């Protein structure tokens, strides 16, 4: 063995011994809240029940099954959460009400996401007059009281799913405009965007090929939080009697139906109220978790 080979071997042994002498630091573990897992389980259960409501062994939501205002009991699955003022199964109405509340919240949130993200990216990228006009419209929409807007739409238009979707989608747009604009302003100053401009790329290519893939992740992670707010708004509108017309159940409408008997039969109000609480809480937990995980601006 040559002298050079011996020297390389000695150097390698010294490096290895030095590495072994260094203290071993365990890899950082990412802590995950138990609440996130419980929230996911709850959302899976409530969404699954809404999807497969027609095949579940539940009584029809509009047919009385027993005496009215029966408290929760274990006599049967239909009376597990009791009966309402007309003797209908509260469990069945909660499950079928989930179809209304979740679909309205998800569809309205998706409409706000698509429209708001588009105009927000345009405002953040082009700036100047375009930014001023879009930002002014978004600020004006955010300044208008949401419940007053929903009440005005419900009084002018016929209360229906389309009317509520239109109103809630309109409420979700300005939030996504502000969020998309802020993220676009942040990504527009990055090196790869300036490099694309120097290479002669057009505004459309830069906006939709370079910036949009980086902006969509934080915007999509914000959607569960917006859907939670829209579910509360739909419940408030239904509670005031301007939501989905009966006999189609909704969580807010169930609270409205049982408010007069809250002193003697509190389960008529507290059961749908707790379902709204758990669903909104779960959506907020999942939204915060997704934002922490996929929003790259929090890690850069």
């Amino acid at each position: 063995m040559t002298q050079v080979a011996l020297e390389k071997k000695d150097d390698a042994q010294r490096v290895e011994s030095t590495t072994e002498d260094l203290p071993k630091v365990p890899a950082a573990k990412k802590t995950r809240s138990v609440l996130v897992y419980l929230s996911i389980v709850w959302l899976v259960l409530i969404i699954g029940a809404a999807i497969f409501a027609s095949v579940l062994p539940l009584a029809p939501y509009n047919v009385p099954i027993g005496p009215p205002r029966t408290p929760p009991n274990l006599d049967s699955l239909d009376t597990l959460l009791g009966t309402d003022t007309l003797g209908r199964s509260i469990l069945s109405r909660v499950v079928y009400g989930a179809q209304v509340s979740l679909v309205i919240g998800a569809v309205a949130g998706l409409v706000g996401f698509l429209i708001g993200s588009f105009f927000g990216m345009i405002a953040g990228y082009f700036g100047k007059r375009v930014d001023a006009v879009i930002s002014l419209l978004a600020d004006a929409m955010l300044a208008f009281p949401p419940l007053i807007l929903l009440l005005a739409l419900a009084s002018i238009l016929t209360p229906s799913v389309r009317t509520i979707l239109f109103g809630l989608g309109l409420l979700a747009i300005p939030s996504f405009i502000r969020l998309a604009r802020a993220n676009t302003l942040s990504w527009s100053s990055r090196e790869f965007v300036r490099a694309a401009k120097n290479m002669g790329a057009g505004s459309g290519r830069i906006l939709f090929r370079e910036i949009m893939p980086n902006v969509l992740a934080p915007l999509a992670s914000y959607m569960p939080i917006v859907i939670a707010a829209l579910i509360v708004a739909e419940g408030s509108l239904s509670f005031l009697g301007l939501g989905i017309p009966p006999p189609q159940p909704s969580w807010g409408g169930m609270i409205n139906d049982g408010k007069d008997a809250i002193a003697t039969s509190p389960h008529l109000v507290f059961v749908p109220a707790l379902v709204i609480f758990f669903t909104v809480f779960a959506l907020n937990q999942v939204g915060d978790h997704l934002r922490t995980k996929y929003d790259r601006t929090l890690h850069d």
Side-chain angles (χ1 to χ4, degrees):
M1 185 178 295
T2 62
Q3 183 67 24
V4 176
L6 290 174
E7 291 177 356
K8 290 183 178 180
K9 183 178 181 181
D10 294 338
D11 292 340
Q13 291 176 350
R14 283 196 297 271
V15 171
E16 184 178 356
S17 61
T18 304
T19 304
E20 292 177 354
D21 295 337
L22 293 176
K24 295 182 179 180
V25 179
K29 296 182 179 179
K30 295 182 179 180
T31 58
R32 296 181 180 178
S33 174
V34 178
L35 289 176
V36 175
Y37 292 107
L38 293 177
S39 299
I40 294 174
V41 171
W42 171 259
L43 291 177
V44 170
L45 288 176
I46 198 70
I47 294 174
I51 294 175
F52 300 104
S54 59
V55 299
L56 293 177
L58 297 174
Y61 62 83
N62 56 351
V63 176
I65 61 169
R69 302 178 185 178
T70 302
N73 57 77
L74 300 177
D75 293 342
S76 65
L77 180 63
D78 292 325
T79 60
L80 183 64
L81 299 179
T83 59
D84 65 357
T85 55
L86 298 179
R88 298 170 297 190
S89 171
I90 292 182
L91 177 60
S92 177
R93 293 182 65 79
V94 165
V95 171
Y96 283 95
Q99 294 179 338
V100 174
S101 299
L102 294 178
V103 168
I104 287 178
V107 173
L110 182 61
V111 170
F113 169 74
L114 295 176
I115 299 177
S117 300
F118 176 75
F119 285 103
M121 288 192 302
I122 290 178
Y125 181 76
F126 291 102
K128 298 181 180 180
R129 294 183 179 180
V130 176
D131 185 17
V133 172
I134 295 178
S135 297
L136 178 62
L137 292 176
D139 292 340
M141 294 173 67
L142 287 172
F144 200 87
L147 188 57
I148 300 300
L149 176 62
L150 293 176
L151 290 175
L153 290 175
S155 60
I156 296 173
L157 305 175
T158 303
S160 62
V161 175
R162 292 183 179 180
T163 301
I164 296 178
L165 283 176
F166 175 75
L168 295 180
L170 199 63
L171 292 179
I173 289 175
S175 299
F176 282 106
I177 288 178
R178 298 292 298 273
L179 188 62
R181 175 183 176 274
N183 280 272
T184 302
L185 287 173
S186 175
W187 287 102
S188 296
S189 59
R190 297 297 180 97
E191 291 79 4
F192 66 89
V193 175
R194 292 199 297 266
K197 290 181 180 179
N198 294 333
M199 294 176 63
S203 298
R205 176 182 174 83
I206 294 175
L207 187 60
F208 294 105
R209 296 287 297 274
E210 304 293 342
I211 297 178
M212 188 175 70
N214 296 291
V215 172
L216 286 181
L219 292 179
S221 64
Y222 187 63
M223 272 197 65
I225 300 176
V226 173
I227 292 175
L230 295 177
I231 289 177
V232 173
E234 184 275 331
S236 302
L237 200 62
S238 297
F239 175 76
L240 296 175
L242 297 174
I244 305 299
Q248 179 66 42
S250 68
W251 293 339
M254 294 176 64
I255 297 176
N256 181 41
D257 293 338
K259 68 180 186 301
D260 295 331
I262 188 173
T264 57
S265 303
H267 69 282
L268 299 180
V269 172
F270 285 109
V271 168
L274 285 175
V275 173
I276 293 177
F277 169 77
F278 287 135
T279 304
V280 171
F281 181 81
L283 286 170
N284 280 296
Q285 289 292 320
V286 172
D288 289 339
H289 174 70
L290 292 176
R291 182 171 177 268
T292 304
K293 185 175 182 180
Y294 293 108
D295 193 349
R296 294 176 57 183
T297 58
L298 300 177
H299 307 286
D300 293 345

